[in-house]
Amino acid sequence: SQKIEQNSEALNIQEGKTATLTCNYTNYSPAYLQWYRQDPGRGPVFLLLIRENEKEKRKERLKVTFDTTLKQSLFHITASQPADSATYLCAPHTGGFKTIFGAGTRLFVKA
Amino acid sequence: DVKVTQSSRYLVKRTGEKVFLECVQDMDHENMFWYRQDPGLGLRLIYFSYDVKMKEKGDIPEGYSVSREKKERFSLILESASTNQTSMYLCASRDLGLGHYNEQFFGPGTRLTVL
Protein backbone atom coordinates (compact mmCIF):
# COMPACT_ATOMS: atom_id res chain seq x y z
CA SER A 1 0.00 0.00 0.00
CA GLN A 2 1.03 3.62 -0.46
CA LYS A 3 3.15 4.88 2.38
CA ILE A 4 4.62 8.24 3.35
CA GLU A 5 7.34 8.55 5.97
CA GLN A 6 8.32 11.73 7.73
CA ASN A 7 10.55 11.89 10.78
CA SER A 8 8.28 11.28 13.75
CA GLU A 9 10.88 12.73 16.09
CA ALA A 10 10.88 16.48 16.49
CA LEU A 11 13.69 18.45 14.93
CA ASN A 12 15.35 20.98 17.22
CA ILE A 13 17.65 23.57 15.71
CA GLN A 14 19.19 26.89 16.64
CA GLU A 15 17.95 30.14 15.15
CA GLY A 16 19.82 31.08 12.01
CA LYS A 17 20.63 27.49 11.01
CA THR A 18 19.11 25.60 8.10
CA ALA A 19 16.37 23.12 8.94
CA THR A 20 16.06 20.09 6.67
CA LEU A 21 12.99 17.88 6.78
CA THR A 22 12.64 14.60 4.91
CA CYS A 23 9.66 13.01 3.17
CA ASN A 24 10.01 9.48 1.81
CA TYR A 25 7.27 7.66 -0.07
CA THR A 26 6.84 4.10 -1.26
CA ASN A 27 4.58 2.15 -3.59
CA TYR A 28 3.49 4.99 -5.80
CA SER A 29 4.78 7.54 -8.25
CA PRO A 30 3.50 11.02 -7.48
CA ALA A 31 3.11 13.54 -10.27
CA TYR A 32 3.78 16.31 -7.77
CA LEU A 33 4.37 16.88 -4.11
CA GLN A 34 3.03 19.56 -1.79
CA TRP A 35 4.33 20.84 1.54
CA TYR A 36 2.08 22.32 4.20
CA ARG A 37 2.71 24.02 7.52
CA GLN A 38 0.48 23.36 10.53
CA ASP A 39 0.52 25.33 13.76
CA PRO A 40 -0.88 23.77 16.97
CA GLY A 41 -4.67 23.72 17.02
CA ARG A 42 -4.96 25.04 13.46
CA GLY A 43 -5.50 23.65 9.99
CA PRO A 44 -2.59 23.12 7.60
CA VAL A 45 -1.55 25.94 5.30
CA PHE A 46 -0.10 25.30 1.84
CA LEU A 47 3.53 26.36 1.30
CA LEU A 48 4.99 24.93 -1.89
CA LEU A 49 4.33 22.54 -4.74
CA ILE A 50 6.98 20.77 -6.82
CA ARG A 51 6.27 18.73 -9.94
CA GLU A 52 7.96 15.45 -10.89
CA ASN A 53 9.93 17.11 -13.69
CA GLU A 54 11.30 19.77 -11.33
CA LYS A 55 14.36 19.01 -9.27
CA GLU A 56 14.17 22.03 -7.03
CA LYS A 57 11.76 24.84 -6.11
CA ARG A 58 12.40 27.94 -4.05
CA LYS A 59 10.20 30.46 -2.29
CA GLU A 60 11.87 33.08 -0.12
CA ARG A 61 13.73 31.11 2.60
CA LEU A 62 12.14 27.80 1.59
CA LYS A 63 13.62 25.26 -0.78
CA VAL A 64 12.14 21.93 -1.81
CA THR A 65 13.82 19.15 -3.76
CA PHE A 66 12.15 16.16 -5.39
CA ASP A 67 14.13 13.03 -6.25
CA THR A 68 11.89 10.52 -8.02
CA THR A 69 14.69 7.93 -8.11
CA LEU A 70 15.19 8.02 -4.35
CA LYS A 71 11.44 8.57 -3.83
CA GLN A 72 12.23 11.43 -1.54
CA SER A 73 11.59 15.12 -1.05
CA LEU A 74 13.69 17.40 1.14
CA PHE A 75 12.29 20.61 2.61
CA HIS A 76 14.80 23.24 3.69
CA ILE A 77 14.26 26.41 5.70
CA THR A 78 17.32 28.64 5.60
CA ALA A 79 18.12 31.24 8.25
CA SER A 80 15.47 29.67 10.47
CA GLN A 81 13.55 31.76 12.99
CA PRO A 82 11.54 30.85 16.09
CA ALA A 83 8.41 31.77 14.09
CA ASP A 84 9.19 28.83 11.78
CA SER A 85 8.40 26.44 14.64
CA ALA A 86 5.49 24.30 13.49
CA THR A 87 4.66 20.88 12.07
CA TYR A 88 5.41 20.41 8.38
CA LEU A 89 3.41 17.93 6.33
CA CYS A 90 4.30 16.54 2.95
CA ALA A 91 1.71 15.29 0.48
CA PRO A 92 2.90 13.36 -2.57
CA HIS A 93 0.09 13.40 -5.11
CA THR A 94 -0.73 11.18 -8.07
CA GLY A 95 -3.16 13.69 -9.55
CA GLY A 96 -6.51 12.23 -8.54
CA PHE A 97 -9.07 13.71 -6.20
CA LYS A 98 -7.51 12.29 -3.07
CA THR A 99 -4.43 13.65 -1.34
CA ILE A 100 -2.48 11.47 1.08
CA PHE A 101 -0.63 13.39 3.78
CA GLY A 102 2.36 12.36 5.81
CA ALA A 103 2.04 12.49 9.60
CA GLY A 104 4.36 15.50 9.69
CA THR A 105 7.58 16.50 11.39
CA ARG A 106 7.55 18.93 14.29
CA LEU A 107 10.21 21.65 14.04
CA PHE A 108 11.39 23.70 17.01
CA VAL A 109 13.66 26.67 16.36
CA LYS A 110 15.35 28.00 19.49
CA ALA A 111 16.32 31.65 19.84
CA ASP B 1 -9.03 36.73 1.89
CA VAL B 2 -10.08 33.14 1.21
CA LYS B 3 -11.83 31.40 4.02
CA VAL B 4 -12.97 28.00 5.18
CA THR B 5 -14.96 28.13 8.39
CA GLN B 6 -16.13 25.34 10.65
CA SER B 7 -19.14 25.59 12.92
CA SER B 8 -17.35 24.87 16.21
CA ARG B 9 -13.78 24.91 17.47
CA TYR B 10 -14.55 22.60 20.40
CA LEU B 11 -17.40 20.16 20.85
CA VAL B 12 -18.24 17.68 23.61
CA LYS B 13 -20.86 15.03 22.94
CA ARG B 14 -22.06 11.85 24.58
CA THR B 15 -21.83 8.34 23.19
CA GLY B 16 -24.75 7.58 20.89
CA GLU B 17 -25.56 11.20 20.04
CA LYS B 18 -25.93 12.30 16.44
CA VAL B 19 -23.32 14.96 15.70
CA PHE B 20 -23.27 17.50 12.89
CA LEU B 21 -20.08 19.29 11.84
CA GLU B 22 -20.57 22.10 9.36
CA CYS B 23 -18.04 23.55 6.96
CA VAL B 24 -18.48 26.59 4.73
CA GLN B 25 -16.11 27.96 2.10
CA ASP B 26 -16.37 31.30 0.34
CA MET B 27 -14.10 30.56 -2.63
CA ASP B 28 -16.61 28.87 -4.97
CA HIS B 29 -14.49 25.69 -4.90
CA GLU B 30 -15.82 22.51 -6.43
CA ASN B 31 -13.99 20.03 -4.21
CA MET B 32 -14.48 19.73 -0.46
CA PHE B 33 -12.99 17.26 1.99
CA TRP B 34 -13.38 16.02 5.56
CA TYR B 35 -10.36 14.66 7.42
CA ARG B 36 -9.68 13.54 10.92
CA GLN B 37 -6.29 14.03 12.49
CA ASP B 38 -4.94 11.93 15.33
CA PRO B 39 -1.46 12.05 16.90
CA GLY B 40 1.02 9.95 14.95
CA LEU B 41 -1.50 9.07 12.25
CA GLY B 42 -1.62 12.30 10.31
CA LEU B 43 -4.59 13.39 8.25
CA ARG B 44 -6.96 10.63 7.18
CA LEU B 45 -9.64 11.25 4.59
CA ILE B 46 -13.18 10.46 5.70
CA TYR B 47 -15.24 11.69 2.73
CA PHE B 48 -14.86 14.08 -0.14
CA SER B 49 -17.18 15.80 -2.55
CA TYR B 50 -16.15 16.81 -6.05
CA ASP B 51 -19.32 18.79 -6.69
CA VAL B 52 -22.74 19.62 -5.28
CA LYS B 53 -24.68 16.50 -4.26
CA MET B 54 -21.67 14.35 -5.21
CA LYS B 55 -19.77 12.45 -2.55
CA GLU B 56 -17.18 9.73 -2.39
CA LYS B 57 -15.90 7.64 0.49
CA GLY B 58 -12.40 8.28 1.66
CA ASP B 59 -10.20 5.90 3.59
CA ILE B 60 -12.16 5.75 6.85
CA PRO B 61 -15.88 6.41 6.14
CA GLU B 62 -17.32 3.95 8.66
CA GLY B 63 -19.55 5.65 11.20
CA TYR B 64 -19.77 8.86 9.17
CA SER B 65 -21.95 10.31 6.47
CA VAL B 66 -21.87 13.62 4.59
CA SER B 67 -24.18 16.04 2.89
CA ARG B 68 -23.52 18.66 0.23
CA GLU B 69 -26.70 20.40 -0.84
CA LYS B 70 -25.02 23.70 -1.72
CA LYS B 71 -21.64 24.33 -3.27
CA GLU B 72 -20.29 26.29 -0.34
CA ARG B 73 -21.37 23.93 2.45
CA PHE B 74 -20.18 20.41 3.30
CA SER B 75 -21.50 18.72 6.42
CA LEU B 76 -20.08 15.74 8.26
CA ILE B 77 -22.49 13.64 10.29
CA LEU B 78 -21.61 11.17 12.99
CA GLU B 79 -24.69 8.96 13.05
CA SER B 80 -24.08 7.61 16.56
CA ALA B 81 -21.00 9.07 18.18
CA SER B 82 -18.55 6.71 19.81
CA THR B 83 -15.50 7.36 21.97
CA ASN B 84 -13.15 6.27 19.18
CA GLN B 85 -14.42 9.20 17.13
CA THR B 86 -12.81 11.64 19.56
CA SER B 87 -10.45 13.52 17.29
CA MET B 88 -9.62 16.76 15.49
CA TYR B 89 -11.81 17.15 12.40
CA LEU B 90 -10.58 19.28 9.54
CA CYS B 91 -12.51 20.48 6.53
CA ALA B 92 -10.78 21.60 3.33
CA SER B 93 -11.73 22.91 -0.07
CA ARG B 94 -9.94 23.03 -3.40
CA ASP B 95 -10.51 24.68 -6.74
CA LEU B 96 -10.87 22.08 -9.49
CA GLY B 97 -8.28 23.76 -11.69
CA LEU B 98 -6.03 21.91 -14.10
CA GLY B 99 -4.79 18.44 -13.19
CA HIS B 100 -5.80 18.80 -9.54
CA TYR B 101 -2.50 20.53 -8.77
CA ASN B 102 -4.20 23.14 -6.68
CA GLU B 103 -3.64 23.30 -3.00
CA GLN B 104 -6.26 22.62 -0.37
CA PHE B 105 -7.47 25.36 1.93
CA PHE B 106 -8.20 24.14 5.42
CA GLY B 107 -10.57 25.32 8.10
CA PRO B 108 -9.41 25.85 11.71
CA GLY B 109 -10.59 22.42 12.82
CA THR B 110 -13.14 21.12 15.31
CA ARG B 111 -11.82 19.25 18.31
CA LEU B 112 -14.53 16.73 19.14
CA THR B 113 -14.61 14.84 22.40
CA VAL B 114 -17.07 11.97 22.79
CA LEU B 115 -17.68 10.94 26.40
Side-chain angles (χ1 to χ4, degrees):
Chain A
S1 62
Q2 296 174 343
K3 201 173 174 184
I4 303 167
E5 288 183 1
Q6 294 187 255
N7 283 353
S8 56
E9 287 185 24
L11 180 63
N12 290 281
I13 64 165
Q14 203 65 36
E15 183 178 11
K17 300 291 185 185
T18 296
T20 299
L21 286 70
T22 305
C23 174
N24 294 303
Y25 57 89
T26 52
N27 295 329
Y28 66 124
S29 298
Y32 62 96
L33 192 146
Q34 297 176 336
W35 282 89
Y36 289 77
R37 169 187 171 136
Q38 186 174 23
D39 292 291
R42 294 181 176 271
V45 175
F46 171 78
L47 295 175
L48 274 174
L49 177 150
I50 185 166
R51 291 179 171 78
E52 60 179 335
N53 59 351
E54 297 173 317
K55 292 281 188 243
E56 183 180 295
K57 199 84 168 278
R58 291 176 185 262
K59 180 182 176 182
E60 298 172 353
R61 294 184 296 110
L62 308 180
K63 185 179 88 171
V64 173
T65 63
F66 192 7
D67 190 325
T68 54
T69 302
L70 290 178
K71 294 186 180 293
Q72 181 182 79
S73 175
L74 298 178
F75 178 83
H76 306 273
I77 306 175
T78 57
S80 59
Q81 305 165 0
D84 295 326
S85 299
T87 297
Y88 292 87
L89 312 176
C90 74
H93 206 295
T94 57
F97 282 106
K98 289 169 58 173
T99 300
I100 302 174
F101 289 85
T105 298
R106 190 86 191 267
L107 172 67
F108 291 99
V109 181
K110 288 191 282 190
Chain B
D1 203 16
V2 297
K3 236 182 201 159
V4 178
T5 56
Q6 295 182 228
S7 48
S8 307
R9 290 302 307 275
Y10 300 94
L11 210 52
V12 180
K13 295 291 182 182
R14 298 215 171 268
T15 301
E17 280 192 78
K18 192 168 185 175
V19 181
F20 293 86
L21 303 182
E22 302 281 337
C23 175
V24 177
Q25 51 99 358
D26 66 358
M27 297 165 280
D28 201 35
H29 285 171
E30 288 83 2
N31 299 167
M32 294 187 76
F33 306 82
W34 274 107
Y35 296 90
R36 63 177 282 177
Q37 186 173 34
D38 300 288
L41 295 178
L43 289 162
R44 291 183 291 168
L45 182 65
I46 304 170
Y47 267 96
F48 65 98
S49 167
Y50 47 90
D51 209 341
V52 179
K53 296 192 187 293
M54 301 295 196
K55 59 188 179 187
E56 290 286 339
K57 293 180 181 178
D59 299 316
I60 51 165
E62 297 78 19
Y64 304 94
S65 62
V66 291
S67 171
R68 190 157 179 215
E69 296 297 316
K70 292 185 178 181
K71 192 174 186 180
E72 67 271 17
R73 189 178 297 268
F74 192 34
S75 303
L76 179 70
I77 303 147
L78 284 65
E79 299 291 343
S80 177
S82 64
T83 55
N84 62 13
Q85 292 179 309
T86 292
S87 186
M88 170 71 96
Y89 288 88
L90 288 158
C91 173
S93 74
R94 181 179 67 186
D95 190 12
L96 190 57
L98 295 171
H100 311 293
Y101 287 133
N102 297 335
E103 75 265 29
Q104 294 186 35
F105 293 86
F106 284 84
T110 296
R111 187 164 292 282
L112 172 68
T113 302
V114 182
L115 301 175

